[in-house]
Amino acid sequence: MTTTQPTGTPLGALPPREHLRLGQTEIVLDVVIPVYNEETDLEPCVRRLREHLARTFPYGFRITIADNASTDRTPEVAARLDDALEEVTAVRLEQKGRGRALRTVWALSEAPVLAYMDVDLSTDLNALLPLVAPLISGHSDLAIGSRLSRSARVVRGPKREFISRTYNLILRGSLAARFSDAQCGFKAVRGDVAERLLPMVEDTGWFFDTELLVLAERAGLRIHEVPVDWVDDPNSTVHLVRTATDDLKGVWRVGRALATGRLPLDRLARPFGDDPRDRELNGVPGGLARQLVGFCVVGALSTLLYLGLYSLFRLGVGPQLANAAALLVSALGNTAANRRLTFGVRGRDRAVRHQAQGLVVFAIGLALTSGSLAALDTATGNPSHGTELAVLVAANLAATVLRFLLFRAWVFPERERERGTDSLESHRTAPNHQSYPSHPNHQSRPNHQNDRDDLTRSAR
């Protein structure tokens, strides 16, 4: 079975999303079923999935069984299905790990849309076409089934429900994730996105899904969510405690990598202009509206941080010292957040200089707030804590307006933002750009039909 590989693009940039053209490739969808010791459930699962796709899916498809070093008769069942059904391929891996299986098969697949589902088929298959349709149409980059969506219909025990919701709350709190269900075994990704995203994903186990989604979301890729009907498998072999522990370790690792800027997520961005938010508004300076919104959000959060720190420091020191310490800490965080989120300056270039200029702006704010406290003390003699906070809020509002003007005109001027954008674009489109170092077991996607054939033979 052969396919035609679409024209490639440099690894430093993603092309604009487009609707997949009919006849562009023989196989449009490759559904991977990772299995470990599933000799009983594998055959009915594959036959049911194949019958459903043959009846409802209007494009060419393939079902790939990814055997994770099973020790029972699973390899024999997989090989028998490979021989009996034209649309089924079996792949044998000698190491366990769902993430490793997905990485290997997706990296070798030529299909423009890649998906996977659990062998127990807990998710209703009627959600499969809605899952992959936004990827085929060019609307989205990834798609996930969600058991936590309001319109999802789920049957499972309270223990798993609690664990699932708690885990997603942890992701929202620690990694600022906005997707609703990280671990539902029902996901899909466009092939061109997988080609660039997979080398950045380190996990080879159950955290693979979460890491993939977090990195995609942080890179600005679009994730489509499909509410699913889902029935819990009471015979699931997943070890909940070990899986939860590994997931928390993964959250810490990914969070640290994102905080230090170690991951080159800019290589996953779409070309400038592909996002409607990149378009200019007549009569509005470039980026001003977005910058105002970002600055207000960062300012509100840093003000809350400042007030909390001031109240904490005030317990042990006088108002002037508490104000200076709280303002200093919040100013450092405010400058860093505005640098990245409001004005879009990435990387470490000029970061120290920006912080130094931010401290000058901080000094101006300190003068305003300290002067306000001094004036209050002179006027009332012994003001209450509530009065102090009210005066500080008013003084900070005035300092905030001045801070935005100084940030925009002096700390992060337009010419520096343009130079940073030009540098980023040239970095993306460099002709011989090397991809981010991948996991040792990762292999790139193009031209691997022979590798797939070798893996397939190993299952027999």
Side-chain angles (χ1 to χ4, degrees), residues 39-120:
E39 61 181 5
T40 302
D41 295 336
L42 179 56
E43 183 164 358
C45 159
V46 170
R47 290 188 177 276
R48 178 183 165 196
L49 174 59
R50 175 188 173 276
E51 190 277 332
H52 176 84
L53 286 171
R55 179 169 47 86
T56 64
F57 193 68
Y59 300 96
F61 65 88
R62 177 169 57 220
I63 300 172
T64 302
I65 304 168
D67 176 22
N68 291 171
S70 294
T71 57
D72 63 358
R73 295 181 56 256
T74 296
E76 300 174 24
V77 177
R80 186 169 66 247
L81 289 168
D82 188 339
D83 292 336
L85 303 175
E86 180 184 358
E87 301 89 350
V88 176
T89 297
V91 173
R92 166 77 175 182
L93 291 89
E94 299 303 330
Q95 292 177 288
K96 290 180 61 177
R98 182 178 68 172
R100 178 179 287 108
L102 293 176
R103 184 204 309 278
T104 301
V105 176
W106 281 355
L108 296 176
S109 179
E110 309 87 3
V113 177
L114 310 168
Y116 96 88
M117 63 180 60
D118 292 335
V119 68
D120 55 21

Side-chain angles (χ1 to χ4, degrees), residues 147-208:
R147 300 163 296 185
L148 303 181
S149 175
R150 183 170 300 177
S151 56
R153 299 176 181 179
V154 177
V155 178
R156 61 175 168 180
K159 180 179 178 180
R160 284 184 174 269
E161 181 76 11
F162 174 78
I163 292 174
S164 180
R165 292 188 178 274
T166 301
Y167 180 63
N168 281 280
L169 285 175
I170 292 174
L171 293 180
R172 289 177 178 270
S174 59
L175 298 178
R178 296 189 299 274
F179 48 84
S180 66
D181 193 350
Q183 291 193 317
C184 179
F186 196 70
K187 294 183 176 67
V189 59
R190 284 179 65 101
D192 57 349
V193 173
E195 181 179 356
R196 294 155 177 80
L197 185 55
L198 289 177
M200 298 184 188
V201 181
E202 294 184 16
D203 191 80
T204 59
W206 291 94
F207 187 69
F208 175 89

Side-chain angles (χ1 to χ4, degrees), residues 135-323:
L135 309 186
I136 294 173
S137 70
H139 175 271
S140 301
D141 298 293
L142 298 92
I144 65 173
S146 175
R147 300 163 296 185
L148 303 181
S149 175
R150 183 170 300 177
S151 56
R153 299 176 181 179
V154 177
V155 178
R156 61 175 168 180
K159 180 179 178 180
R160 284 184 174 269
E161 181 76 11
F162 174 78
I163 292 174
S164 180
R165 292 188 178 274
T166 301
Y167 180 63
N168 281 280
L169 285 175
I170 292 174
L171 293 180
R172 289 177 178 270
S174 59
L175 298 178
R178 296 189 299 274
F179 48 84
S180 66
D181 193 350
Q183 291 193 317
C184 179
F186 196 70
K187 294 183 176 67
V189 59
R190 284 179 65 101
D192 57 349
V193 173
E195 181 179 356
R196 294 155 177 80
L197 185 55
L198 289 177
M200 298 184 188
V201 181
E202 294 184 16
D203 191 80
T204 59
W206 291 94
F207 187 69
F208 175 89
D209 302 53
T210 302
E211 187 170 357
L212 187 83
L213 292 173
V214 169
L215 297 186
E217 187 175 73
R218 287 298 188 94
L221 300 181
R222 178 176 289 161
I223 300 175
H224 178 73
E225 295 199 15
V226 178
V228 296
D229 297 343
W230 195 87
V231 179
D232 190 15
D233 178 13
N235 299 317
S236 174
T237 58
V238 178
H239 193 289
L240 293 179
V241 175
R242 184 172 63 246
T243 300
T245 302
D246 292 341
D247 286 347
L248 292 177
K249 291 179 180 178
V251 169
W252 169 257
R253 174 177 54 78
V254 172
R256 184 175 56 184
L258 292 171
T260 57
R262 186 171 61 86
L263 295 169
L265 297 179
D266 57 284
R267 301 180 189 178
L268 295 171
R270 294 290 180 183
F272 186 79
D274 184 58
D275 192 326
R277 293 170 296 183
D278 294 333
R279 300 169 187 168
E280 296 182 357
L281 300 177
N282 293 331
V284 178
L288 179 59
R290 181 187 60 79
Q291 289 173 4
L292 282 171
V293 173
F295 185 81
C296 289
V297 172
V298 172
L301 295 176
S302 61
T303 298
L304 293 175
L305 174 64
Y306 163 77
L307 293 175
L309 291 173
Y310 176 81
S311 299
L312 179 63
F313 294 154
R314 189 66 177 84
L315 297 175
V317 298
Q320 293 288 3
L321 185 57
N323 173 61

